Amino acid sequence: MFGSKVTALSFLFLLLLGFSNCESQTETTMHTNNWAVLVCTSRFWFNYRHMANTLSLYRTVKRLGIPDERIILMLADDMACNARNKYPAQVFNNENHKLNLYGDNVEVDYRGYEVTVENFFRVLTGRHENAVPRSKRLLSDEGSHILLYMTGHGGDEFLKFQDSEELQSHDLADAVKQMKEKRRFKELLIMVDTCQAATLFSQLQSPGALAIGSSMKGENSYSHHLDSDVGVSVVDRFTFYTLAFFEKLNMYDNASLTSLFGSYNPSMLMSTAYYRTDLYQRRLEEVPVTNFFGSVMETIHTDSAYRVLSRKESGSVEIKMSTEKSDHDKERLLLNSNDLDQIGELNTEDQRGNIECIWSTFHKELQKVKDVDSFVNYGLVIMLPLLTVSMWLSW
Amino acid sequence: MGESESENEAPKVKLRPIVRLGMFLISHSHLLSVVCCTAGVLTLLLLPLLAKNTYISENALMPGSANPMLSSQEVSEANGLVKDLTSLDLKRMASGIESQRLIAQYMSNLGAEVSFQKFYPQSNQFHPLHFFSSPDSATIRENISCSSYGLNTVGIIRAPRGDGKEAIVLVTPYNSEKIGLGEALSLGIAYSVFSLLTRVTWLAKDIIWVVADSKYGEYAAVDAWLRDYYIPVFSGLGIQNAEMCHGLEENTIRERNMRDGFKRAGTMAAALVIKVADRSEQFEDSLSIYAEASNGQMPNLDLINIVNYLAVHRQGLRIKVEKMWSLLNCKWLKILGEILESLGHLAKNLNPQWKFGIPAADYVEGTATLTSSLYYQALGIPTGPHGAFRDYQVDAVTLEISSRVSSNNKGRQNDFLLRGGRLIEGVIRSVNNLLEKFHQSFFLYLLTSPSKFLSVGVYMITFALLVSSLPMVAASLYAHANNLDPSFEKNESNHPASAADELGITLRSWKWLYAAKKVLVVHLWGAVVLLLPYFICQIPNCTPTTSFVVWVLLSIFSLLILFWILGSPFSYVYASQPQQREWALLKSVTISAAFIGLCLMSVINFATAEIGALLMVPMCLMAHPLKLDVKSRKLRNFSRVACNLALGFIGFPPTAFLVFKGVFEGFDGISVGDFWNWLESIWAWSSATYLYIGMIHLPCWILCIHVILHPC
């Protein structure tokens, strides 16, 4: 009885320790993969252009190297098969009709009424029902660069979904924060083409997020041109000029984000493109656009093919230490579960040794602690053994 | 009086603000009623200034965003149909069915589903119980002669990828016995659009083309088709009828097919009635829009907007809506317009942001259009076959296109067909984009020009101002009549009231019931007067004038009988009540009844209520016993007598009708029979205006006259 309590406590506390160790590592994780979440939020035939926007972006990121299984495409309505479409099963983003966006290889993950705020959050935060297939999940990790593109009708601090609900700026910020905490991304680029798009980013506070919107507060985003054959506007201005920028690129080009952001001309856009960089650590001039819109990254040579946690080895020395520690933890765990019914004496000794070990690591870590969060974590960690000891003494 | 009392009591008991406000209104009712009434009339005159530009409210419509696809190919096909139809007519062998066969042949060549619908003319008989009742399919058709029936030809295109739940209707009325060039052209326009639509890939709604046989009137044909469409006959009656008649005809297989298969598509999103005017315009091609349906119901403003937008900005047609032409030359209206224009300029000089001035010419035009808009809504008679659709909550308009020159010229005719066809195509494509019923824009509006409208929120103000004076005056009259006695008594004897006195007071406070009874009796009489034409109609060989005279005589007779049966309401008051209060109470109750009636009517048909209020409110407010005025012999009283007589004259429905008809159309050849004809048309279309005249206006007029002639 007594022994099991102690082991449980020590287990908890080892977990906490592991957690605090890992948190300091995320900043240094390598960029290892690219994901794209492309969302068209509006229904109805007269919003043809929003679907065309999204499909154009889909085509672009695919061309630049993000594979289909890493693109989550959400289309709120099916314009291609709308009875009003003069060209059945085809979607165009230009009145010259040269490029059919809805060709053979379009994989729509969420369509029609599946595109809801709830599902959007589930995709971002990864909290799905068990039955949801892997192809509909955003399986990113702490090494992912994610492109989140959204288009639809919006307003001051909201984006309308499906004509019935809305995504608000604080909802978006909350989802991004959850993603950050769950280490679902390394860097995130949010691109929004809607009226007053800039207002949607106002609540963001997670580091690593970069945001660009088609218009400032109080501005409208306009459509680029009307296809008088199909009878609807086919593309929005912001997306049109984004695509115009990317058409000139292939996946080996080294154009930076600055050149993309600088390419928006307010007089052509009829609105002011706004980007928010204060949460983003790197300098935009040094970041190639293919970091988000493509899937280009460094390759790292490793000695053995199947080494667990191998990517962490590229980090610095203290990370190596932590891997040793985690190995040690695993051993401890094993021991605990095997010797669950043994006498308390042995356990207490282990406990003591454990505490000493922790104290030494704590001293080391304390010197490196810079941010308050981890300091608080350490404070909690210190509280726990004190509590345990006092409980044990008073037993 | 009331004011002084409230002042006396105020220190003792602090009254609630609402009560004090009521007292204030009652005590100043004279001034306030005059102010409200004049403000009501003035705002009515200002309405053309307050009109807003129309705008397309529904995003989904997107009129004119697609290029028209109608080409000269379709037009040449349509020309073929027009030629065939006119040559049929020339050969004189077009015995009805021949032309329908031809059209059906043309339709089925396009691949449309064709069906015929046979209908029998319904007599326009007055049924007193048919007001507000839904169209009844099981109406017993008397005296159907098998040879006299109309035959509608209906072609349906199914949308290739649509869900088949919605449809757009095209209607072309034509007289199968004699096809004029205008009718042939309207068929040509519809055919060109129809043939285009069989080929396009963008249809989301089915297209129904109804070639309505207007032998018995355009409305009747469309109404018959709609009734069959929405209220299918499951009883054997209809089939029996058809079977009965069947023996007389040549019994071909095709005939049976067309009878069996009444084809339907989905619910109707909108309907367009296409007509081509036989008269030709002098300057340019133009398009007249008719929109008023029964009881002043209008189609959604968006439908008119898209027609207006496409006609003006795409096809370059001139748009016209109905106007009171005689108002255009009105001197005083022009002067008023100029005054308003200069006021607008003045306001603009003071503050550049105030923009309410419009040019005087626009003002006059706006007023003329507004007047006709009000009149046709008030009449409650549909202005075309589109009215039949409104009864089923389908938005519909009639488009009458008239060409510049009589189209003997081949090139001109082609151009005309092309423009007309492209307009219809554009409207259909726009409605095709619609996702739901028309609901975004207004249903309650008045037009002051094809592109300017007054919404319900604006025009309601004039009515509210006019009517608001009624309850104030009624309350003040009642208060006066009741307060006179108690104060008098209070001054005379300050001792505690005995039981008998209290009883007397209670009795006196209920004496308005006598007046109420009288008002009720008169209103009942109004209902009787309404029913009389039903019997008068049965009299054979009656000229309108004699019918009218008979009606008036019967009405007076029935009034006398009612008084005789229910006992003279005068007798009670003679015995017990001082006359002075009796007329005041009567006036008060009359005014209350008028107020309730007008408010009810404004819900059913606003335009009727507005015109009625213009006539009735001043009359009700002014009514004052002549005897009292004559006794006092002052200038003010004599002017009141004159006003009373004038308002009493104009308030009587027949005289009001004749005077307005005279003013607008000239006094030549006016007879009282015209009023009878007018009234007949109103009840034939079961317009609520008829009920209003009989149940509200006429009784109020009688009661006002009674007050004026009261023997004080």
Side-chain angles (χ1 to χ4, degrees), chain A residues 48 55-56 59 80 85 87-94 96-106:
Chain A
Y48 183 96
L55 283 173
S56 317
R59 184 182 158 278
N85 193 349
Y87 300 95
Q90 297 181 68
V91 176
F92 300 104
N93 67 356
N94 199 312
N96 61 21
H97 295 173
K98 275 184 186 150
L99 179 68
N100 175 20
L101 297 170
Y102 210 68
D104 294 330
N105 288 320
V106 178

PDB file of all heavy atoms in Angstrom, chain A residues 48 55-56 59 80 85 87-94 96-106:
ATOM      1  N   TYR A  48     -18.507  30.944 -56.169  1.00  0.00           N
ATOM      2  CA  TYR A  48     -17.639  30.119 -57.009  1.00  0.00           C
ATOM      3  C   TYR A  48     -16.178  30.469 -56.796  1.00  0.00           C
ATOM      4  O   TYR A  48     -15.314  29.618 -56.681  1.00  0.00           O
ATOM      5  CB  TYR A  48     -18.051  30.382 -58.456  1.00  0.00           C
ATOM      6  CG  TYR A  48     -17.363  29.595 -59.534  1.00  0.00           C
ATOM      7  CD1 TYR A  48     -17.941  28.452 -60.047  1.00  0.00           C
ATOM      8  CD2 TYR A  48     -16.156  30.027 -60.071  1.00  0.00           C
ATOM      9  CE1 TYR A  48     -17.332  27.743 -61.066  1.00  0.00           C
ATOM     10  CE2 TYR A  48     -15.536  29.323 -61.091  1.00  0.00           C
ATOM     11  CZ  TYR A  48     -16.131  28.179 -61.580  1.00  0.00           C
ATOM     12  OH  TYR A  48     -15.529  27.487 -62.590  1.00  0.00           O
ATOM     13  N   LEU A  55      -8.785  25.919 -54.742  1.00  0.00           N
ATOM     14  CA  LEU A  55      -8.253  24.902 -55.644  1.00  0.00           C
ATOM     15  C   LEU A  55      -6.981  25.386 -56.335  1.00  0.00           C
ATOM     16  O   LEU A  55      -6.077  24.594 -56.596  1.00  0.00           O
ATOM     17  CB  LEU A  55      -9.311  24.523 -56.683  1.00  0.00           C
ATOM     18  CG  LEU A  55     -10.407  23.594 -56.168  1.00  0.00           C
ATOM     19  CD1 LEU A  55     -11.491  23.432 -57.217  1.00  0.00           C
ATOM     20  CD2 LEU A  55      -9.833  22.236 -55.820  1.00  0.00           C
ATOM     21  N   SER A  56      -6.911  26.686 -56.611  1.00  0.00           N
ATOM     22  CA  SER A  56      -5.692  27.218 -57.230  1.00  0.00           C
ATOM     23  C   SER A  56      -4.519  27.062 -56.281  1.00  0.00           C
ATOM     24  O   SER A  56      -3.424  26.650 -56.672  1.00  0.00           O
ATOM     25  CB  SER A  56      -5.854  28.699 -57.561  1.00  0.00           C
ATOM     26  OG  SER A  56      -7.088  28.946 -58.111  1.00  0.00           O
ATOM     27  N   ARG A  59      -3.457  23.499 -56.125  1.00  0.00           N
ATOM     28  CA  ARG A  59      -2.650  23.105 -57.276  1.00  0.00           C
ATOM     29  C   ARG A  59      -1.222  23.625 -57.112  1.00  0.00           C
ATOM     30  O   ARG A  59      -0.257  22.920 -57.385  1.00  0.00           O
ATOM     31  CB  ARG A  59      -3.280  23.682 -58.538  1.00  0.00           C
ATOM     32  CG  ARG A  59      -2.581  23.255 -59.785  1.00  0.00           C
ATOM     33  CD  ARG A  59      -3.190  23.888 -61.009  1.00  0.00           C
ATOM     34  NE  ARG A  59      -2.215  23.890 -62.079  1.00  0.00           N
ATOM     35  CZ  ARG A  59      -1.269  24.790 -62.217  1.00  0.00           C
ATOM     36  NH1 ARG A  59      -1.190  25.790 -61.363  1.00  0.00           N
ATOM     37  NH2 ARG A  59      -0.405  24.723 -63.210  1.00  0.00           N
ATOM     38  N   ALA A  80     -18.132  22.367 -58.989  1.00  0.00           N
ATOM     39  CA  ALA A  80     -17.890  21.640 -60.231  1.00  0.00           C
ATOM     40  C   ALA A  80     -19.148  20.901 -60.676  1.00  0.00           C
ATOM     41  O   ALA A  80     -19.458  20.842 -61.858  1.00  0.00           O
ATOM     42  CB  ALA A  80     -16.748  20.665 -60.031  1.00  0.00           C
ATOM     43  N   ASN A  85     -23.340  25.220 -63.326  1.00  0.00           N
ATOM     44  CA  ASN A  85     -22.026  25.307 -63.954  1.00  0.00           C
ATOM     45  C   ASN A  85     -22.142  24.976 -65.434  1.00  0.00           C
ATOM     46  O   ASN A  85     -22.589  23.906 -65.806  1.00  0.00           O
ATOM     47  CB  ASN A  85     -21.075  24.325 -63.274  1.00  0.00           C
ATOM     48  CG  ASN A  85     -19.638  24.584 -63.653  1.00  0.00           C
ATOM     49  OD1 ASN A  85     -19.372  25.353 -64.578  1.00  0.00           O
ATOM     50  ND2 ASN A  85     -18.728  23.965 -62.943  1.00  0.00           N
ATOM     51  N   TYR A  87     -19.755  24.454 -67.416  1.00  0.00           N
ATOM     52  CA  TYR A  87     -18.789  23.417 -67.756  1.00  0.00           C
ATOM     53  C   TYR A  87     -18.817  22.359 -66.660  1.00  0.00           C
ATOM     54  O   TYR A  87     -18.103  22.472 -65.660  1.00  0.00           O
ATOM     55  CB  TYR A  87     -17.385  24.017 -67.868  1.00  0.00           C
ATOM     56  CG  TYR A  87     -17.305  25.077 -68.921  1.00  0.00           C
ATOM     57  CD1 TYR A  87     -17.453  26.415 -68.592  1.00  0.00           C
ATOM     58  CD2 TYR A  87     -17.100  24.747 -70.250  1.00  0.00           C
ATOM     59  CE1 TYR A  87     -17.402  27.397 -69.557  1.00  0.00           C
ATOM     60  CE2 TYR A  87     -17.052  25.714 -71.219  1.00  0.00           C
ATOM     61  CZ  TYR A  87     -17.201  27.035 -70.874  1.00  0.00           C
ATOM     62  OH  TYR A  87     -17.159  27.987 -71.841  1.00  0.00           O
ATOM     63  N   PRO A  88     -19.633  21.347 -66.817  1.00  0.00           N
ATOM     64  CA  PRO A  88     -19.792  20.368 -65.743  1.00  0.00           C
ATOM     65  C   PRO A  88     -18.458  19.734 -65.353  1.00  0.00           C
ATOM     66  O   PRO A  88     -17.632  19.428 -66.216  1.00  0.00           O
ATOM     67  CB  PRO A  88     -20.717  19.322 -66.356  1.00  0.00           C
ATOM     68  CG  PRO A  88     -21.432  20.035 -67.428  1.00  0.00           C
ATOM     69  CD  PRO A  88     -20.488  21.041 -67.957  1.00  0.00           C
ATOM     70  N   ALA A  89     -18.276  19.569 -64.055  1.00  0.00           N
ATOM     71  CA  ALA A  89     -17.102  18.923 -63.476  1.00  0.00           C
ATOM     72  C   ALA A  89     -15.808  19.655 -63.772  1.00  0.00           C
ATOM     73  O   ALA A  89     -14.729  19.088 -63.733  1.00  0.00           O
ATOM     74  CB  ALA A  89     -16.987  17.478 -63.934  1.00  0.00           C
ATOM     75  N   GLN A  90     -15.913  20.948 -64.083  1.00  0.00           N
ATOM     76  CA  GLN A  90     -14.687  21.710 -64.273  1.00  0.00           C
ATOM     77  C   GLN A  90     -14.777  23.012 -63.478  1.00  0.00           C
ATOM     78  O   GLN A  90     -15.855  23.577 -63.334  1.00  0.00           O
ATOM     79  CB  GLN A  90     -14.493  22.043 -65.751  1.00  0.00           C
ATOM     80  CG  GLN A  90     -14.321  20.815 -66.618  1.00  0.00           C
ATOM     81  CD  GLN A  90     -14.103  21.193 -68.066  1.00  0.00           C
ATOM     82  OE1 GLN A  90     -13.095  21.757 -68.427  1.00  0.00           O
ATOM     83  NE2 GLN A  90     -15.094  20.904 -68.880  1.00  0.00           N
ATOM     84  N   VAL A  91     -13.645  23.432 -62.980  1.00  0.00           N
ATOM     85  CA  VAL A  91     -13.591  24.703 -62.262  1.00  0.00           C
ATOM     86  C   VAL A  91     -12.422  25.496 -62.828  1.00  0.00           C
ATOM     87  O   VAL A  91     -11.329  24.968 -63.000  1.00  0.00           O
ATOM     88  CB  VAL A  91     -13.389  24.482 -60.746  1.00  0.00           C
ATOM     89  CG1 VAL A  91     -13.225  25.808 -60.035  1.00  0.00           C
ATOM     90  CG2 VAL A  91     -14.551  23.728 -60.157  1.00  0.00           C
ATOM     91  N   PHE A  92     -12.679  26.746 -63.129  1.00  0.00           N
ATOM     92  CA  PHE A  92     -11.630  27.582 -63.696  1.00  0.00           C
ATOM     93  C   PHE A  92     -11.383  28.770 -62.794  1.00  0.00           C
ATOM     94  O   PHE A  92     -12.291  29.247 -62.123  1.00  0.00           O
ATOM     95  CB  PHE A  92     -12.040  28.079 -65.078  1.00  0.00           C
ATOM     96  CG  PHE A  92     -12.290  26.971 -66.056  1.00  0.00           C
ATOM     97  CD1 PHE A  92     -13.584  26.616 -66.400  1.00  0.00           C
ATOM     98  CD2 PHE A  92     -11.243  26.272 -66.607  1.00  0.00           C
ATOM     99  CE1 PHE A  92     -13.823  25.594 -67.284  1.00  0.00           C
ATOM    100  CE2 PHE A  92     -11.471  25.243 -67.496  1.00  0.00           C
ATOM    101  CZ  PHE A  92     -12.761  24.902 -67.840  1.00  0.00           C
ATOM    102  N   ASN A  93     -10.138  29.241 -62.838  1.00  0.00           N
ATOM    103  CA  ASN A  93      -9.874  30.468 -62.094  1.00  0.00           C
ATOM    104  C   ASN A  93      -9.518  31.605 -63.033  1.00  0.00           C
ATOM    105  O   ASN A  93      -8.999  32.622 -62.612  1.00  0.00           O
ATOM    106  CB  ASN A  93      -8.783  30.260 -61.044  1.00  0.00           C
ATOM    107  CG  ASN A  93      -7.438  29.999 -61.659  1.00  0.00           C
ATOM    108  OD1 ASN A  93      -7.311  29.888 -62.881  1.00  0.00           O
ATOM    109  ND2 ASN A  93      -6.417  29.906 -60.828  1.00  0.00           N
ATOM    110  N   ASN A  94      -9.779  31.406 -64.307  1.00  0.00           N
ATOM    111  CA  ASN A  94      -9.492  32.472 -65.248  1.00  0.00           C
ATOM    112  C   ASN A  94     -10.470  32.358 -66.395  1.00  0.00           C
ATOM    113  O   ASN A  94     -10.871  31.260 -66.771  1.00  0.00           O
ATOM    114  CB  ASN A  94      -8.058  32.325 -65.761  1.00  0.00           C
ATOM    115  CG  ASN A  94      -7.549  33.613 -66.367  1.00  0.00           C
ATOM    116  OD1 ASN A  94      -8.251  34.235 -67.176  1.00  0.00           O
ATOM    117  ND2 ASN A  94      -6.376  34.029 -65.970  1.00  0.00           N
ATOM    118  N   ASN A  96      -9.935  32.653 -69.379  1.00  0.00           N
ATOM    119  CA  ASN A  96      -9.431  32.025 -70.592  1.00  0.00           C
ATOM    120  C   ASN A  96      -9.630  30.507 -70.596  1.00  0.00           C
ATOM    121  O   ASN A  96      -9.425  29.853 -71.604  1.00  0.00           O
ATOM    122  CB  ASN A  96      -7.957  32.379 -70.807  1.00  0.00           C
ATOM    123  CG  ASN A  96      -7.090  31.889 -69.667  1.00  0.00           C
ATOM    124  OD1 ASN A  96      -7.460  30.984 -68.922  1.00  0.00           O
ATOM    125  ND2 ASN A  96      -5.924  32.488 -69.511  1.00  0.00           N
ATOM    126  N   HIS A  97     -10.045  29.967 -69.455  1.00  0.00           N
ATOM    127  CA  HIS A  97     -10.417  28.546 -69.350  1.00  0.00           C
ATOM    128  C   HIS A  97      -9.290  27.607 -69.772  1.00  0.00           C
ATOM    129  O   HIS A  97      -9.545  26.529 -70.284  1.00  0.00           O
ATOM    130  CB  HIS A  97     -11.652  28.236 -70.205  1.00  0.00           C
ATOM    131  CG  HIS A  97     -12.869  28.952 -69.725  1.00  0.00           C
ATOM    132  ND1 HIS A  97     -14.063  28.947 -70.395  1.00  0.00           N
ATOM    133  CD2 HIS A  97     -13.072  29.714 -68.634  1.00  0.00           C
ATOM    134  CE1 HIS A  97     -14.937  29.667 -69.753  1.00  0.00           C
ATOM    135  NE2 HIS A  97     -14.359  30.144 -68.673  1.00  0.00           N
ATOM    136  N   LYS A  98      -8.045  28.042 -69.584  1.00  0.00           N
ATOM    137  CA  LYS A  98      -6.934  27.189 -70.010  1.00  0.00           C
ATOM    138  C   LYS A  98      -6.666  26.086 -68.998  1.00  0.00           C
ATOM    139  O   LYS A  98      -6.209  25.022 -69.346  1.00  0.00           O
ATOM    140  CB  LYS A  98      -5.671  28.033 -70.187  1.00  0.00           C
ATOM    141  CG  LYS A  98      -5.621  28.673 -71.559  1.00  0.00           C
ATOM    142  CD  LYS A  98      -4.328  29.412 -71.761  1.00  0.00           C
ATOM    143  CE  LYS A  98      -4.361  30.165 -73.074  1.00  0.00           C
ATOM    144  NZ  LYS A  98      -3.548  31.385 -73.015  1.00  0.00           N
ATOM    145  N   LEU A  99      -6.929  26.379 -67.773  1.00  0.00           N
ATOM    146  CA  LEU A  99      -6.520  25.455 -66.728  1.00  0.00           C
ATOM    147  C   LEU A  99      -7.735  24.991 -65.946  1.00  0.00           C
ATOM    148  O   LEU A  99      -8.400  25.774 -65.288  1.00  0.00           O
ATOM    149  CB  LEU A  99      -5.546  26.179 -65.788  1.00  0.00           C
ATOM    150  CG  LEU A  99      -5.036  25.374 -64.615  1.00  0.00           C
ATOM    151  CD1 LEU A  99      -4.140  24.271 -65.107  1.00  0.00           C
ATOM    152  CD2 LEU A  99      -4.285  26.286 -63.673  1.00  0.00           C
ATOM    153  N   ASN A 100      -8.005  23.713 -66.040  1.00  0.00           N
ATOM    154  CA  ASN A 100      -9.090  23.150 -65.240  1.00  0.00           C
ATOM    155  C   ASN A 100      -8.543  22.752 -63.879  1.00  0.00           C
ATOM    156  O   ASN A 100      -7.713  21.863 -63.764  1.00  0.00           O
ATOM    157  CB  ASN A 100      -9.686  21.941 -65.963  1.00  0.00           C
ATOM    158  CG  ASN A 100     -10.726  21.245 -65.119  1.00  0.00           C
ATOM    159  OD1 ASN A 100     -11.271  21.839 -64.186  1.00  0.00           O
ATOM    160  ND2 ASN A 100     -11.005  19.997 -65.436  1.00  0.00           N
ATOM    161  N   LEU A 101      -9.024  23.435 -62.844  1.00  0.00           N
ATOM    162  CA  LEU A 101      -8.491  23.191 -61.502  1.00  0.00           C
ATOM    163  C   LEU A 101      -9.023  21.904 -60.904  1.00  0.00           C
ATOM    164  O   LEU A 101      -8.507  21.394 -59.931  1.00  0.00           O
ATOM    165  CB  LEU A 101      -8.873  24.342 -60.577  1.00  0.00           C
ATOM    166  CG  LEU A 101      -8.329  25.702 -60.934  1.00  0.00           C
ATOM    167  CD1 LEU A 101      -9.002  26.738 -60.080  1.00  0.00           C
ATOM    168  CD2 LEU A 101      -6.841  25.745 -60.709  1.00  0.00           C
ATOM    169  N   TYR A 102     -10.095  21.418 -61.480  1.00  0.00           N
ATOM    170  CA  TYR A 102     -10.749  20.258 -60.880  1.00  0.00           C
ATOM    171  C   TYR A 102     -10.474  19.035 -61.740  1.00  0.00           C
ATOM    172  O   TYR A 102     -11.376  18.323 -62.152  1.00  0.00           O
ATOM    173  CB  TYR A 102     -12.254  20.535 -60.765  1.00  0.00           C
ATOM    174  CG  TYR A 102     -12.912  19.847 -59.601  1.00  0.00           C
ATOM    175  CD1 TYR A 102     -12.626  20.222 -58.306  1.00  0.00           C
ATOM    176  CD2 TYR A 102     -13.833  18.821 -59.800  1.00  0.00           C
ATOM    177  CE1 TYR A 102     -13.230  19.604 -57.237  1.00  0.00           C
ATOM    178  CE2 TYR A 102     -14.450  18.202 -58.743  1.00  0.00           C
ATOM    179  CZ  TYR A 102     -14.139  18.601 -57.453  1.00  0.00           C
ATOM    180  OH  TYR A 102     -14.748  17.989 -56.392  1.00  0.00           O
ATOM    181  N   GLY A 103      -9.199  18.818 -62.014  1.00  0.00           N
ATOM    182  CA  GLY A 103      -8.810  17.712 -62.881  1.00  0.00           C
ATOM    183  C   GLY A 103      -8.888  16.382 -62.175  1.00  0.00           C
ATOM    184  O   GLY A 103      -9.703  16.179 -61.277  1.00  0.00           O
ATOM    185  N   ASP A 104      -8.002  15.470 -62.550  1.00  0.00           N
ATOM    186  CA  ASP A 104      -8.105  14.102 -62.056  1.00  0.00           C
ATOM    187  C   ASP A 104      -7.625  13.948 -60.620  1.00  0.00           C
ATOM    188  O   ASP A 104      -8.140  13.145 -59.882  1.00  0.00           O
ATOM    189  CB  ASP A 104      -7.263  13.182 -62.942  1.00  0.00           C
ATOM    190  CG  ASP A 104      -7.843  13.129 -64.344  1.00  0.00           C
ATOM    191  OD1 ASP A 104      -9.072  13.289 -64.450  1.00  0.00           O
ATOM    192  OD2 ASP A 104      -7.069  12.954 -65.301  1.00  0.00           O
ATOM    193  N   ASN A 105      -6.613  14.710 -60.252  1.00  0.00           N
ATOM    194  CA  ASN A 105      -5.928  14.400 -58.999  1.00  0.00           C
ATOM    195  C   ASN A 105      -6.316  15.303 -57.842  1.00  0.00           C
ATOM    196  O   ASN A 105      -5.483  15.758 -57.100  1.00  0.00           O
ATOM    197  CB  ASN A 105      -4.422  14.483 -59.208  1.00  0.00           C
ATOM    198  CG  ASN A 105      -3.945  13.325 -60.033  1.00  0.00           C
ATOM    199  OD1 ASN A 105      -4.409  12.208 -59.842  1.00  0.00           O
ATOM    200  ND2 ASN A 105      -3.064  13.597 -60.972  1.00  0.00           N
ATOM    201  N   VAL A 106      -7.578  15.596 -57.743  1.00  0.00           N
ATOM    202  CA  VAL A 106      -7.989  16.451 -56.637  1.00  0.00           C
ATOM    203  C   VAL A 106      -8.551  15.578 -55.527  1.00  0.00           C
ATOM    204  O   VAL A 106      -9.474  14.799 -55.741  1.00  0.00           O
ATOM    205  CB  VAL A 106      -9.043  17.471 -57.086  1.00  0.00           C
ATOM    206  CG1 VAL A 106      -9.494  18.309 -55.915  1.00  0.00           C
ATOM    207  CG2 VAL A 106      -8.455  18.367 -58.154  1.00  0.00           C
TER     208      VAL A 106
END
